[in-house]
C-alpha cells in the first residue's frame, strides 16, 4: 500500500465552496433499514447467459472481485426481453439454440434445454431465473420451472414474464383482448397460482417486473394479490433513467437529478413492504437503446455509485445491473474490425476490454460492504453528496461524491469538513478518472485507490494508494474533485 497525505495537498486545490457535516455517532432518523449482504448484482440477458459464463473469463472474476469485498457472491438475474421469446425444450442437449445475422443482434426466437439450468446452478451466488409468459404456454414454463427448482440449490426466485407493460394486444398472452394493467394483474396472479401449485412452492416468484411505474405498477399489482402474495418472493421494478431522445450525462450523474429520477419508486417499495416483501430493481442500467454514447463512460460509473446509495436508502434490497448482447458491449480492440462501430452500451466488461461503469459498481460495493445502514448527511438538493455508513450502530465509513460534470479545463473541487470523528487520523480511497466522459476502450482508465481492472480478465492490478487525513478536535477535511468520489474509513 502506498500512502499519501491528503492534508498536505489540501490547501493547494481550489474549492468551489466548503461543506460541513457532522457524522452522527448513531444512525440518524433518516438512515436506511438493514442493508442486504450484497446489494449490487448483475442481470445477464437470457439468450446470452451461457456465453457470458462459459466464454468470457471476465464474468467470473468481475463477480468475484465484488464477492471479495462483501464475503457474499453478488446476486445474478438471468432474463430480459429474450426470456419472453424462449421456449423450453426438454430434449435439447444444448443450453441455448438460436441463430442471429450479426453478433450485435438478439434472437427473435430461441429454445433452451435442461443444461441451461445446470449451468445456472453452478453459480455460487443466488439466482433469479426469468421465464416466458408472453407466449402464453404455461405448461412449457412450468416444465422449465420444475427443472430450475430441481437443479438449482441457488434458485432465489422465478420471474413470469419480462416488462409486461410492453406486451401488446397481439401477443398470445392477451388472448385476443386488450392488454391493460388489469389484464396483466389478473394474468400474473393466475400464473403465480398455477406455477406455484405445480411446484408445491411458495415465496418463489419475483413479481411485477415492470419497466417504470406507469401504466403498470407494483402499487396496482399488490392491491390485487390477495392470498397469492404468499407465492411472491419479492416485487420487482426495472429502471433506466435515460432513453433515446434525451441522453444527458450531466443529468444522469447529478446527485439532485438522481434523487428526482428515483422518487416515483418510493411508492413501489412501500407497496412491496406493506405486503411483507422486499423490493428489487431486477433489471436496471443507465440508458436504453444503445445508451447514446453516455453509458460506457466514467460518468455512468458515478451514476451507479450514487444511484445505489439513494435506492438502498429508499429501502430496495438489491439492484441487478443489466449486461446485454455481448457483441454490442464488448468494447472491441481498436485493431478489430468491430471497432469501426464503437459500442455505446452499458456493459461492465466485454470480451476484450473493461467498461468504465464497473468501477462505480465496485466502489458502491466497497462502500456498503459489511454495513448495516446508510444515512444521507446532505439534503439531496445539490450536486454534492455525503453519506454516513453504519455497522452495529456506529459510523464506519463516509462516502463523499462531487457530481459536478467535468470534461475539460481546470477541474474544480469541493471541500468537505467532517466533524464527529474519533482518533487522530483516517484513511480514504478515491474513485477517479481523467474526466466524466472517460472510457476504458479510449485509453482513459478510471482507478479505485490507484488500481484498475485488467482488460479481458477483470483482474485487479496496480499498487493500492490509500490516502490519510489528520483528525484534529474530531474534525478532518477532504477535497473531492468534480466527477470524483472518496470513501473515508473511520
Ligand atoms: C408449448 O410447449 C410445449 C412443450 O412444453 C410444446 O409441445 C408446444 O408445442 C408449445 N405450444 C406452442 C403453441 O408453442
Ligand atoms: C398446474 O398447472 C396447470 C396449467 O398448466 C393448472 O391448470 C393446474 O391447476 C396446476 N396445478 C396446480 C396443483 O396448481
Ligand atoms: C443536461 O442536464 C443538465 C442538468 O440537469 C441541464 O442543466 C442541461 O440543460 C441538460 N442539457 C440538455 C442539452 O438538455
Ligand atoms: C437527513 O437528516 C440530516 C440530519 O440528521 C439532514 O441534515 C439531512 O438533510 C437529511 N437528508 C435527507 C435526504 O433527508
Ligand atoms: C476526457 O475524456 C475523453 C474521452 O475519454 C477524452 O477524449 C478527453 O481527452 C478527456 N479530456 C481530458 C481533459 O482528460
Ligand atoms: C484497456 O485497453 C485499452 C485499449 O483498448 C487501453 O487504452 C487501456 O489502457 C487498457 N486498460 C487497462 C487497465 O489495461
Amino acid at each position: 500500500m502506498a500512502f499519501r497525505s491528503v492534508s498536505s495537498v489540501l490547501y493547494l486545490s481550489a474549492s468551489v465552496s466548503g461543506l460541513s457535516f457532522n457524522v452522527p455517532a448513531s444512525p440518524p432518523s433518516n438512515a436506511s433499514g438493514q442493508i442486504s449482504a450484497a446489494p449490487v448484482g448483475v442481470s445477464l440477458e437470457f439468450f446470452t447467459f451461457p456465453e457470458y459464463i462459459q466464454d468470457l473469463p471476465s464474468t467470473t472474476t468481475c463477480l468475484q472481485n465484488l464477492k471479495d469485498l462483501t464475503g457474499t457472491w453478488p446476486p445474478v438475474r438471468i432474463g430480459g426481453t429474450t426470456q419472453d421469446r424462449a421456449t423450453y425444450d426438454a430434449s435439447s442437449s444444448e443450453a441455448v439454440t438460436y441463430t442471429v445475422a450479426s453478433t450485435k443482434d438478439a434472437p427473435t426466437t430461441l429454445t433452451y434445454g435442461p443444461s441451461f439450468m445446470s449451468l445456472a446452478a453452478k453459480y455460487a451466488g443466488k439466482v433469479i431465473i426469468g421465464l416466458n409468459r408472453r407466449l402464453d404456454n404455461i405448461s412449457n414454463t412450468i416444465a422449465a420451472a420444475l427443472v430450475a427448482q430441481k437443479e438449482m440449490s441457488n434458485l432465489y426466485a422465478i420471474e413470469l414474464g419480462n416488462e409486461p407493460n410492453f406486451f401488446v394486444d397481439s401477443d398470445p398472452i392477451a388472448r385476443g383482448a386488450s392488454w391493460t394493467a388489469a389484464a396483466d394483474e389478473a394474468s400474473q396472479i393466475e400464473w403465480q397460482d398455477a406455477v406455484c401449485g405445480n411446484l408445491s412452492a411458495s415465496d418463489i416468484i419475483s413479481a411485477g417486473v415492470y419497466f417504470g411505474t406507469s401504466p403498470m405498477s407494483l402499487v396496482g399489482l399488490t392491491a390485487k394479490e390477495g392470498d397469492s402474495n404468499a407465492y411472491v418472493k419479492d416485487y420487482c421494478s426495472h429502471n433506466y433513467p435515460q432513453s433515446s431522445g434525451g441522453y444527458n450525462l450531466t443529468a444522469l450523474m447529478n446527485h439532485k437529478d438522481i434523487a428526482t429520477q428515483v422518487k416515483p419508486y418510493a411508492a413501489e417499495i412501500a407497496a412491496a413492504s406493506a405486503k411483507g416483501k422486499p423490493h428489487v430493481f431486477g433489471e436496471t442500467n443507465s440508458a436504453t437503446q444503445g445508451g447514446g454514447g453516455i453509458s460506457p463512460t466514467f460518468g455512468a460509473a458515478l451514476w451507479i455509485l450514487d444511484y445505489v446509495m439513494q435506492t438502498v436508502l429508499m429501502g430496495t434490497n438489491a439492484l441487478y445491473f443489466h449486461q446485454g448482447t455481448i457483441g454490442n458491449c464488448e468494447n472491441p480492440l481498436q485493431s478489430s474490425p468491430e471497432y469501426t462501430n464503437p459500442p455505446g452500451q452499458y456493459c461492465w466488461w466485454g470480451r476484450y476490454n473493461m467498461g468504465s461503469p464497473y468501477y462505480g459498481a465496485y466502489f458502491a460495493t466497497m462502500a456498503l460492504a459489511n454495513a448495516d445502514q446508510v444515512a444521507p448527511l446532505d439534503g439531496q438538493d445539490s450536486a454534492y453528496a455525503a453519506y454516513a455508513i453504519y455497522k452495529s450502530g456506529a459510523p464506519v465509513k463516509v462516502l463523499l461524491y462531487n457530481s459536478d460534470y467535468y470534461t475539460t479545463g481546470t477541474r474544480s473541487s469541493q471541500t468537505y469538513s467532517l466533524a464527529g470523528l474519533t482518533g487522530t487520523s483516517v484513511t480514504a480511497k478515491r474513485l477517479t478518472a481523467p474526466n466524466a466522459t472517460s472510457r476504458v476502450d479510449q485509453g482513459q482508465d478510471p482507478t479505485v485507490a490507484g488500481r484498475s481492472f485488467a482488460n479481458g480478465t477483470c483482474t485487479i492490478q496496480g499498487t493500492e494508494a490509500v490516502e490519510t487525513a489528520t483528525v484534529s478536535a474530531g474534525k478532518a477535511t477532504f477535497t473531492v474533485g468534480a466527477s470524483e468520489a472518496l470513501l473515508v474509513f473511520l
Side-chain angles (χ1 to χ4, degrees), residues 331-351:
N331 302 322
L333 296 171
Q334 293 192 26
S335 56
S336 90
E338 286 146 318
Y339 197 77
T340 54
N341 180 16
Q345 291 216 353
Y346 39 64
C347 312
W348 289 355
W349 62 87
R351 204 179 292 279

Side-chain angles (χ1 to χ4, degrees), residues 53-54 65 71 73 90 113 129 148 199 290 297 313 319 351 368 418-419:
I53 291 287
Q54 294 178 309
N65 290 337
W73 284 88
I129 292 270
L199 265 59
T297 66
L313 257 172
L319 300 99
R351 204 179 292 279
L368 296 180
L418 300 182

Side-chain angles (χ1 to χ4, degrees), residues 252-290:
L252 179 75
M253 60 182 271
N254 181 270
H255 179 53
K256 183 182 174 183
D257 288 349
I258 293 170
T260 305
Q261 202 276 323
V262 301
K263 203 163 236 147
Y265 292 97
E268 302 286 82
I269 295 169
S273 176
K275 286 287 184 180
K277 304 292 177 177
H279 173 272
V280 298
F281 284 97
E283 184 186 315
T284 191
N285 221 317
S286 49
T288 61
Q289 291 161 11

Side-chain angles (χ1 to χ4, degrees), residues 26-56:
S26 60
S29 59
N30 58 9
S32 71
Q34 176 66 46
I35 299 169
S36 61
V40 178
V42 159
S43 165
L44 300 173
E45 180 61 41
F46 191 91
F47 85 95
T48 194
F49 150 71
E51 196 180 357
Y52 265 109
I53 291 287
Q54 294 178 309
D55 300 344
L56 266 60

Side-chain angles (χ1 to χ4, degrees), residues 28 30 376-380:
N30 58 9
L377 299 179
D378 67 294
Q380 296 175 339

